Amino acid sequence: MAMLKLPTLAESVIVALNFFVQHQPPRLPLKSFKLPLVVGSGNAYNTGVALFSGQTAILADESDFRHKIKGYSPLIKTGAIKQAVIISASGEKDSVWETKLAKQKGLQTTLLTCRPQSSAAKLADKIIIYDKLPEPQTYNVSTYLGMILSTSGEKTEAIRQNIKKLKLPLDFLNYHAFAFILPDDLAAIAPMIEIKRHELFGSRLSIRAFSAGEARHAKFVIPWEKELVISLGENKYFGLKEHRWQIKRPKGAGLAWAMALTYYLVGRIQAGFPPYFQNHITKYCQTGPKAYGQTKPFDIIVK
């Protein structure tokens, strides 16, 4: 099967930032949500963690949403929980049954999506629409970056300029493993990096990501000169001293900066190694597992 000519994750980050400089995402009215059930799949779940990191919310994914909505049914019946927020770039796949279930339980549903005509959008009580760009399956750069920008208050141009000025170490791609250390207040981005590792490299390359607090729990007992430890901020402890890259955090930089920067770096790693993703994504879309209840193959380029 011929390899597709697809952009790297780094290229998609730059295109998305260029887009959001000109098209600022809508503001998400977080204060209007009081103890919501927030559900999403994959990095939609982690986006929900990022969006609601400053307030009380109950997070769920496609695997445990039924269990959680049942477990919290007493609070739903008393009115303590009245809202559900469903996060889905496509507004299809698992978000359809999740929206149906939330409505069946009497919850007011708000869908965060990039497709106003999607199946879930037709079901939800309220939809908040985010602009997106065509991107390879699984990338979801513009989709979730736009959502995070809608709450973080960060300036997209400042993020773009910070990445533009970044100077990679000369031996950047001589490493066999990479680890990211994020400040604790940016911890929601760490699992998003891990998901990119699974999607782009599978078992072929080691990319790890931790919050600074999590990294203290025996994650670097075994240092290696072939692992580059990349920290957003100061790193006193993790990895071998001569194999640490500390990136200064600019003033005002938050979750959107952390997502864009780390995705960009993962994309630069992707560009320097064999095209694992490009070699396999076509077959995966055609023959891999489908979303629950769906039979249609995934599109290789999501528009």
Side-chain angles (χ1 to χ4, degrees):
M1 190 174 294
M3 183 183 75
L4 287 176
K5 178 62 177 176
L6 298 173
T8 66
L9 188 65
E11 291 169 332
S12 292
V13 167
I14 298 303
V15 171
L17 289 171
N18 291 341
F19 177 76
F20 287 127
V21 166
Q22 301 296 325
H23 304 85
Q24 193 68 22
R27 295 294 294 173
L28 178 63
L30 286 174
K31 292 183 179 180
S32 65
F33 299 105
K34 309 298 182 183
L35 191 58
L37 268 168
V38 181
V39 59
S41 300
N43 268 336
Y45 170 87
N46 294 315
T47 299
V49 174
L51 296 179
F52 289 90
S53 58
Q55 66 188 73
T56 304
I58 301 163
L59 277 296
D61 62 21
E62 75 281 7
S63 298
D64 66 6
F65 185 52
R66 289 186 178 90
H67 175 75
K68 286 194 174 181
I69 208 167
K70 181 179 180 181
Y72 283 100
S73 59
L75 294 181
I76 295 173
K77 290 178 180 179
T78 62
I81 299 174
K82 298 179 180 179
Q83 300 163 302
V85 178
I86 299 94
I87 302 174
S88 172
S90 68
E92 300 292 345
K93 306 171 187 173
D94 299 296
S95 66
V96 180
W97 70 260
E98 291 163 351
T99 304
K100 287 180 180 178
L101 178 59
K103 289 178 68 71
Q104 288 171 4
K105 298 300 181 181
L107 296 172
Q108 184 178 17
T109 53
T110 299
L111 175 71
L112 311 187
T113 188
C114 300
R115 295 188 60 203
Q117 304 303 320
S118 62
S119 300
K122 295 174 183 178
L123 297 169
D125 298 304
K126 181 179 180 181
I127 56 174
I128 298 177
I129 305 300
Y130 294 88
D131 290 331
K132 67 176 288 293
L133 298 167
E135 293 171 343
Q137 181 66 240
T138 82
Y139 273 23
N140 276 316
V141 179
S142 60
T143 54
Y144 300 139
L145 181 59
M147 292 180 187
I148 292 175
L149 282 167
S150 75
T151 63
S152 73
E154 296 166 79
K155 301 298 183 183
T156 312
E157 177 60 25
I159 298 172
R160 182 171 70 171
Q161 289 302 320
N162 180 258
I163 291 177
K164 185 178 180 180
K165 295 176 182 177
L166 195 66
K167 294 183 179 179
L168 276 64
L170 293 177
D171 58 350
F172 181 59
L173 294 177
N174 289 333
Y175 288 93
H176 295 174
F178 301 85
F180 290 86
I181 309 295
L182 286 73
D184 289 333
D185 64 309
L186 304 180
I189 303 302
M192 299 181 77
I193 301 169
E194 290 274 1
I195 285 179
K196 288 295 150 231
R197 183 258 295 181
H198 294 305
E199 294 169 345
L200 300 183
F201 303 102
S203 60
R204 309 298 178 89
L205 189 72
S206 173
I207 296 181
R208 308 188 294 156
F210 311 103
S211 67
E214 185 183 9
R216 290 174 174 268
H217 292 274
K219 300 301 189 292
F220 291 90
V221 172
I222 308 167
W224 189 28
E225 67 275 5
K226 291 296 184 178
E227 181 178 60
L228 178 65
V229 180
I230 305 168
S231 63
L232 307 192
E234 188 179 20
N235 173 14
K236 293 183 179 180
Y237 308 106
F238 310 119
L240 297 171
K241 285 186 177 180
E242 60 271 28
H243 300 288
R244 299 174 187 170
W245 179 23
Q246 300 177 99
I247 299 175
K248 184 178 180 181
R249 181 178 180 177
K251 184 179 180 180
L255 289 161
W257 169 74
M259 177 187 169
L261 174 63
T262 57
Y263 271 35
Y264 174 80
L265 291 175
V266 171
R268 291 297 296 266
I269 296 168
Q270 178 190 16
F273 283 84
Y276 304 120
F277 177 83
Q278 291 90 332
N279 284 341
H280 293 275
I281 187 60
T282 299
K283 183 177 180 180
Y284 179 83
C285 287
Q286 293 174 350
T287 65
K290 309 300 184 290
Y292 290 142
Q294 303 295 315
T295 58
K296 181 182 177 182
F298 291 122
D299 295 325
I300 299 169
I301 298 293
V302 182
K303 298 180 180 179

